[in-house]
C-alpha cells in the first residue's frame, strides 16, 4: 500500500498521506449562550481519536455560514467573529497532534431547519423559514422562500466571511459544500432550480451562484492555502439513469470542475446524490469512485473519492489506479478510529504516534 501512504502537496500544504477524515455531521455543537454554534467537548474527543489514529487531514463537518443555513440548532456555525475562538481550540488541537486541520462551510438552503436525527428530551424543537433558489420543497419539508438578488449577494458574502474566520481560527484547508442537495447544489440542479433570471435556466446560469461563491471565498481565503469543493457528481436522474426527471449530471460536473479549476479550486471532493429524496442510487462498495476518476481525467484537477471505502486494499487500488488523488473515510472511521494506523501497520509504514503511547509501540 505504498501509494496510499505517499505525501500529497497542494499549494503550501503537504498531507502526510492520502487517507483523510471526511466531514461528518455530529449535531453536537454548543447550542446556547455566546458560544452557540462552536465545537463542544464531543468534537474534541471525536477528532482527537481519529487524529491519534493516523488521519492526515481531519475535515471538520459542515459549518453554517448563516443561522438560516443550518439544518438544526445543533449545527456548527461561523457566521460571527465570537465563534472563532471555539474553532481555534479545535484546529490547534488537530494540528498539534499531527494532522492538517480542515473545515467545510455550507448553507443548507431548503434542507435547513430539519432537526437532528435523534430527539432531544431537554429541548423543544425549533424551526425557521428556509430559503432556496426556487419555492420548491424537498420532499415533505416546508416550502422555502425564494432568494432575491440581494439575498443571493448576502449569502455569497456570508461564505466569504466564514472563510476569513476559518483562516483566523487556524484551519489550513477549506472546503465549500456544493453537494448533497444543499444550497449551492440547489442552484446547480434543475430538480430544485426553476428560476428564469440569470441564476436559472441554462447550465451556465445555474452554475453562476457556485462560481460567485468560489470567487468570493478564494479572495477571502489565503492564497497559499488549498481550497476544496465538494460536488454531487450526479443526481441519479435523467442523463445518468432511466429516471425521466431532470437533474444534474456527471457531464455537468465535468464542466463545473473545469470552471472551478480556473477559479482557484485545488481539489474536487466527489460525492453524489441528495437533490431529491427518492432517487434510486445503486449503493455498493466504491460506487462513487468512477465519478471521481472521470472528473479527474476530463477536468484535469485532483479529486478525492468517498463512500463505502471500507478496507485499505480498496483505498490503495483507488490511488494506485489513478481514480483519485486521496480518499475520504467516513463510516469506516466512525467504526474504527484507528483504521488508518491499522492499515499503515499492515503496509509496514511507521506513522508517528503520541509520546504518551510510546510503550505500545516499543
Amino acid at each position: 500500500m505504498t501509494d496510499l501512504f505517499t505525501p500529497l502537496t497542494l499549494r503550501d500544504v503537504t498531507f502526510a498521506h492520502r487517507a483523510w477524515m471526511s466531514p461528518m455531521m455530529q449535531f453536537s455543537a454548543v447550542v446556547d449562550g455566546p458560544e452557540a454554534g462552536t465545537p463542544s467537548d464531543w468534537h474534541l474527543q471525536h477528532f482527537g481519536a481519529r487524529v491519534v489514529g493516523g488521519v492526515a487531514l481531519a475535515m471538520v463537518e459542515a459549518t453554517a455560514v448563516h443561522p438560516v443555513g443550518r439544518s438544526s440548532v445543533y449545527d456548527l456555525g461561523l457566521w460571527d467573529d465570537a465563534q472563532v475562538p471555539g474553532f481555534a481550540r479545535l484546529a490547534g488541537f488537530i494540528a498539534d497532534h499531527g494532522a492538517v486541520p480542515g473545515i467545510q462551510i455550507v448553507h443548507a438552503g431548503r434542507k435547513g431547519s430539519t432537526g437532528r436525527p435523534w430527539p432531544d428530551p431537554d429541548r423543544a424543537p425549533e424551526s425557521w423559514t428556509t430559503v432556496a433558489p426556487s419555492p420548491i420543497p424537498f420532499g415533505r419539508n416546508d416550502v422555502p422562500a425564494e432568494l432575491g438578488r440581494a439575498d443571493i449577494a448576502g449569502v455569497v458574502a456570508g461564505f466569504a466571511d466564514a472563510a476569513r474566520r476559518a483562516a483566523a481560527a487556524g484551519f489550513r484547508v477549506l472546503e465549500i459544500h456544493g453537494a448533497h442537495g444543499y444550497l449551492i447544489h440547489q442552484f446547480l440542479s434543475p430538480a430544485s432550480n426553476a428560476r428564469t433570471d440569470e441564476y436559472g435556466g441554462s447550465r451556465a446560469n445555474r452554475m453562476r451562484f457556485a462560481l460567485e461563491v468560489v470567487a468570493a471565498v478564494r479572495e477571502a481565503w489565503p492564497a497559499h492555502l488549498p481550497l476544496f469543493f465538494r460536488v454531487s457528481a450526479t443526481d441519479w436522474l435523467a442523463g445518468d439513469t432511466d429516471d425521466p426527471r431532470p437533474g444534474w449530471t456527471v457531464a455537468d460536473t465535468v464542466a463545473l470542475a473545469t470552471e472551478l479549476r480556473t477559479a482557484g479550486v485545488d481539489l474536487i471532493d466527489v460525492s453524489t446524490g441528495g437533490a431529491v429524496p427518492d432517487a434510486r442510487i445503486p449503493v455498493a462498495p466504491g460506487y462513487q469512485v468512477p465519478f471521481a476518476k472521470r472528473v479527474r481525467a476530463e477536468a484535469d484537477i485532483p479529486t478525492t473519492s468517498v463512500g463505502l471505502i471500507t478496507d485499505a486494499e480498496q483505498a490503495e487500488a483507488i490511488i494506485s489506479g489513478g481514480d483519485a488523488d486521496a480518499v475520504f473515510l467516513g463510516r469506516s472511521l466512525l467504526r474504527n478510529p484507528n483504521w488508518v494506523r491499522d492499515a499503515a501497520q499492515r503496509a509496514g509504514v511507521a506513522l508517528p504516534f503520541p509520546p504518551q503511547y510510546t510503550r505500545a509501540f516499543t
Side-chain angles (χ1 to χ4, degrees), residues 18 30 41 84 92 94 121-122 137 167 178 187 205 219 229 232 245 248-249 275 285 302 326 328 338 351 355 361:
R18 316 296 182 97
V30 176
D41 288 346
V84 171
I94 292 170
D122 301 319
F187 272 90
N205 281 358
E219 185 175 352
F229 189 99
S232 281
R245 291 175 294 177
W248 182 256
T249 70
F328 268 124
N338 291 311
L351 295 182
F361 297 92

Side-chain angles (χ1 to χ4, degrees), residues 95-174:
D96 288 346
H97 291 83
V100 174
I103 188 168
Q104 182 188 73
I105 54 175
V106 70
H107 193 298
R110 68 177 186 170
K111 278 190 166 181
S113 190
T114 53
R116 67 179 182 180
W118 64 91
D120 183 346
D122 301 319
R123 188 179 186 88
E126 296 183 38
S127 63
W128 52 87
T129 300
T130 61
V131 296
S134 302
I136 303 171
F138 179 82
R140 296 182 179 179
N141 292 359
D142 293 339
V143 176
E146 180 172 303
L147 289 163
R149 288 182 178 85
D151 303 316
I152 291 172
V155 174
V156 170
F159 271 97
D161 290 341
R164 292 188 189 94
R165 295 182 184 114
F171 289 98
R172 302 276 293 165
V173 173
L174 184 72

Side-chain angles (χ1 to χ4, degrees), residues 3-36:
D3 291 312
L4 180 62
F5 287 101
T6 56
L8 175 67
T9 298
L10 297 171
R11 298 200 184 228
D12 286 356
V13 176
T14 297
F15 307 91
H17 55 74
R18 316 296 182 97
W20 300 348
M21 179 180 177
S22 186
M24 294 174 282
M25 295 186 74
Q26 297 296 293
F27 301 99
S28 299
V30 176
V31 174
D32 297 308
E35 296 182 348

Side-chain angles (χ1 to χ4, degrees), residues 125-301:
E126 296 183 38
S127 63
W128 52 87
T129 300
T130 61
V131 296
S134 302
I136 303 171
F138 179 82
R140 296 182 179 179
N141 292 359
D142 293 339
V143 176
E146 180 172 303
L147 289 163
R149 288 182 178 85
D151 303 316
I152 291 172
V155 174
V156 170
F159 271 97
D161 290 341
R164 292 188 189 94
R165 295 182 184 114
F171 289 98
R172 302 276 293 165
V173 173
L174 184 72
E175 177 168 275
I176 298 170
H177 200 339
H180 299 164
Y182 295 125
L183 185 61
I184 293 175
H185 187 189
Q186 289 162 31
F187 272 90
L188 293 172
S189 176
S192 47
N193 185 346
R195 300 177 74 100
T196 57
D197 63 3
E198 67 270 31
Y199 290 96
S202 68
R203 180 171 68 190
N205 281 358
R206 286 182 281 111
M207 286 168 40
R208 187 183 307 276
F209 176 65
L211 295 174
E212 287 181 351
V213 168
V214 167
V217 166
R218 187 69 269 183
E219 185 175 352
W221 182 244
H224 66 284
L225 297 179
L227 177 63
F228 294 3
F229 189 99
R230 174 166 274 193
V231 65
S232 281
T234 177
D235 289 342
W236 300 102
L237 298 174
D240 290 332
T241 73
D242 60 3
D243 191 316
R245 291 175 294 177
W248 182 256
T249 70
V250 64
D252 294 329
T253 297
V254 170
L256 174 64
T258 302
E259 294 285 345
L260 293 175
R261 183 195 66 212
T262 302
V265 169
D266 301 288
L267 179 142
I268 307 296
D269 177 7
V270 182
S271 188
T272 67
V276 297
D278 57 347
R280 298 188 301 274
I281 302 176
V283 176
Y287 70 105
Q288 296 178 146
V289 173
F291 298 103
K293 180 178 182 179
R294 179 170 173 182
V295 171
R296 184 177 189 262
E298 296 186 19
D300 190 26
I301 188 169

